[in-house]
Amino acid sequence: CLRRMYETMGKSVLFLETAVHFHSRPHAHIEVVPMERGMEPEASMFFKEAFFSCDEEWAQHRKVIELSSARPLKRAVPAHFQYLAAEWGDPAATSGADKDKSKDKSKSSKAGSDAAPYGGIVHPVESE
């Protein structure tokens, strides 16, 4: 897992995902960006500000969907919904429900203590 690999290096990781063209040629693009641990709150502020101050290409959809361990990307985005998402942290580390349901409690509690808190933002992309 990329998150664990960067954890061993003392870094956190930011995933940028774009999903578009569901009607003709579905395409998804994911970029992985390492960042210093503890930068997650700044990432949140940066992407919120960027999405709200974007140019006309994105202006039709001003809504920003916040992600959390209780509402990850898969549950926050409807099928065939074009979007740009930024995610950081480890969803398994901050989800209390996942920790309780986990069969290997030692593994989930270790992830919860070291990993960055999970969060993210989704911004709708205008259809072409």
Side-chain angles (χ1 to χ4, degrees):
C1 177
L2 290 172
R3 284 187 174 104
R4 300 222 193 322
M5 180 184 81
Y6 283 111
E7 250 180 50
T8 63
M9 297 178 195
K11 295 194 178 272
S12 188
V13 65
L14 173 70
F15 291 94
L16 301 171
E17 180 178 350
T18 306
V20 293
H21 304 294
F22 290 111
H23 61 281
S24 59
R25 295 171 294 158
H27 180 75
H29 180 83
I30 299 174
E31 292 185 49
V32 180
V33 181
M35 63 182 183
E36 296 299 319
R37 241 185 225 176
M39 297 295 292
E40 294 81 10
E42 285 83 4
S44 174
M45 291 185 314
F46 173 81
F47 283 101
K48 280 182 189 175
E49 182 179 331
F51 287 150
F52 285 124
S53 64
C54 58
D55 65 1
E56 291 178 15
E57 179 182 353
W58 300 80
Q60 180 179 349
H61 302 287
R62 290 275 182 194
K63 183 171 173 125
V64 171
I65 302 166
E66 299 259 356
L67 302 177
S68 67
S69 56
R71 189 177 186 195
L73 182 62
K74 187 174 183 177
R75 291 178 55 197
V77 177
H80 305 293
F81 186 81
Q82 299 186 118
Y83 63 88
L84 169 63
E87 292 181 275
W88 49 86
D90 187 353
T94 55
S95 173
D98 289 346
K99 286 182 188 178
D100 293 340
K101 292 178 184 176
S102 175
K103 292 180 183 176
D104 185 0
K105 297 235 183 217
S106 63
K107 185 185 274 186
S108 66
S109 63
K110 180 183 180 292
S113 62
D114 291 345
Y118 176 75
I121 297 174
V122 177
H123 192 283
V125 175
E126 186 174 323
S127 308
E128 294 179 9

